Amino acid sequence: MTTREYAIQCIKDEAEALLDLIPKMDENLDRAVELIYRCHGKVIITGVGKSGHIGAKIAATLSSTGTPSFFINPLDVFHGDLGVMTRDDVVLAISNSGQTDELLRFIPMVLHAEIPIIGMSGNPQSLLAKYSTCHLNVSVKKEACPLNLAPTSSTTAMLAMGDALAVALMEKRNFQPKDFAQFHPGGELGKRLLTTAQDVMRTEDLPIISPEMHLGEAIILVSKGKLGLGVAMKDNRVCGLITDGDIRRAMEKWQAKFFDRTVDDIMTTNPKTVSLQTKISEIQGIMNRYKIHTVLVVDREDHLLGVVDHYSCMI
């Protein structure tokens, strides 16, 4: 085989190992999800070597999807870190063999503290499986390594089982995009879901017009505003809106009599408005739903505070 063929075979072997996990996802998975869902403390994940690296990733995934979790090396427990555990916690212990000495020496401490253990290993007959409250079987037929030695298929299976746990918990918790954004404030999704109208609205040089203003004068103000609209105000409150499209249609309709008409003749009397706290994601939904490019930001008395247009939402 060529090096590329070995690489392709590795992917095939790992893909097969993942599909082989499906029949092993039994009532133990349900019990594991329920244990974590009802946990009032933290999910403490532990493992040694490559299993430890996978455990750290699973902890990060759980934490970012609504389940407070962190990874701890079992060796650190013998040097004071046992104090972070409480009876409200759940331990997820990972070992391919289920017989890792450092991990097994850690288990009696957890049992003594009456903390539930979710074991994850490739050996349902192992000591880890025996002493676990429930056991997740991640056994594989073979490693994707040509020597069948390097952890490849086995670590992939562990990683996938951890993702399966996280996704099942997301569904059980009814975890929504807005919840995800709270844990990912730096990403694009977080920005759209956490940024508000107040953060992006334009507040200066707004094209303010009055309902009694003649359209010839209103056109000048709309053009200067460079937003493609004019906000009609009466008694310091928003009462309407005209757009470039409204003006063009009025010109076609009235032609020479256009300049005798007023803003009140063409304005929309119920423009779409939002509050300072309205999220950008919601504003985008409003724009898409009503096929508009701008919304007005107002307070409870309909005083104009700013304008958010389509380009302001492109963050």
Side-chain angles (χ1 to χ4, degrees):
M1 293 174 64
T2 66
T3 53
R4 183 185 300 177
E5 288 172 334
Y6 273 113
I8 292 172
Q9 187 59 46
C10 173
I11 300 297
K12 289 181 178 179
D13 288 343
E14 294 197 6
E16 182 180 352
L18 292 183
L19 292 176
D20 287 344
L21 281 182
I22 296 174
K24 301 166 189 170
M25 300 174 77
D26 54 16
E27 64 277 1
N28 280 285
L29 178 68
D30 299 331
R31 292 176 65 192
V33 171
E34 196 66 22
L35 272 175
I36 298 175
Y37 178 70
R38 297 189 179 281
C39 173
H40 297 294
K42 311 166 293 295
V43 176
I44 300 170
I45 303 176
T46 186
V48 179
K50 303 298 189 297
S51 297
H53 294 308
I54 297 299
K57 190 275 178 186
I58 294 174
T61 299
L62 287 172
S63 292
S64 69
T65 53
T67 301
S69 311
F70 68 88
F71 174 79
I72 186 171
N73 189 309
L75 297 176
D76 294 333
V77 173
F78 301 108
H79 300 281
D81 284 1
L82 186 62
V84 303
M85 300 186 187
T86 71
R87 291 186 180 182
D88 290 330
D89 298 333
V90 170
V91 167
L92 171 58
I94 307 173
S95 166
N96 185 40
S97 68
Q99 302 287 129
T100 306
D101 181 63
E102 298 92 336
L103 194 63
L104 292 179
R105 286 192 288 133
F106 164 72
I107 297 300
M109 302 179 188
V110 180
L111 294 175
H112 180 72
E114 299 181 358
I115 299 173
I117 301 173
I118 301 171
M120 183 187 296
S121 82
N123 183 3
Q125 309 305 319
S126 64
L127 287 174
L128 174 60
K130 178 180 178 180
Y131 289 108
S132 295
T133 309
C134 58
H135 178 258
L136 301 175
N137 183 357
V138 289
S139 58
V140 297
K141 294 176 182 176
K142 64 175 182 176
E143 297 289 4
C145 160
L147 303 176
N148 195 29
L149 293 175
T152 44
S153 296
S154 58
T155 48
T156 300
M158 292 173 186
L159 187 64
M161 185 63 76
D163 286 343
L165 270 178
V167 169
L169 284 160
M170 288 176 69
E171 179 63 24
K172 196 168 183 67
R173 297 186 197 283
N174 192 29
F175 199 78
Q176 299 296 314
K178 61 181 177 61
D179 304 311
F180 187 85
Q182 292 177 353
F183 298 101
H184 300 76
E188 179 182 348
L189 175 64
K191 288 180 181 178
R192 285 193 289 111
L193 290 171
L194 297 180
T195 303
T196 65
Q198 185 175 13
D199 298 321
V200 301
M201 68 183 185
R202 174 173 160 181
T203 58
E204 299 179 354
D205 300 322
L206 299 178
I208 306 299
I209 56 180
S210 69
E212 298 82 14
M213 183 179 291
H214 283 92
L215 292 178
E217 184 181 354
I219 287 177
I220 297 173
L221 295 177
V222 169
S223 178
K224 286 182 178 180
K226 297 180 180 179
L227 285 172
L229 57 81
V231 183
M233 303 281 290
K234 187 172 184 179
D235 298 327
N236 203 31
R237 288 180 170 85
V238 174
C239 63
L241 179 79
I242 65 171
T243 66
D244 285 338
D246 295 328
I247 293 172
R248 288 195 302 273
R249 286 185 288 273
M251 285 182 170
E252 292 175 2
K253 179 179 179 181
W254 287 310
Q255 298 183 11
K257 297 181 180 180
F258 168 81
F259 291 97
D260 297 328
R261 298 290 179 170
T262 63
V263 169
D264 188 51
D265 291 325
I266 67 170
M267 72 179 187
T268 299
T269 56
N270 58 342
K272 301 305 175 187
T273 61
V274 298
S275 71
L276 287 171
Q277 290 74 39
T278 305
K279 303 291 190 296
I280 290 300
S281 57
E282 185 178 343
I283 293 175
Q284 288 176 319
I286 293 171
M287 290 180 177
N288 292 335
R289 189 179 315 123
Y290 294 102
K291 295 179 171 47
I292 57 177
H293 297 90
T294 310
V295 296
L296 307 182
V297 184
V298 299
D299 62 16
R300 293 182 179 179
E301 286 75 38
D302 284 333
H303 298 143
L304 182 66
L305 303 176
V307 174
V308 177
D309 62 9
H310 171 74
Y311 298 103
S312 303
C313 297
M314 297 174 66
I315 58 174

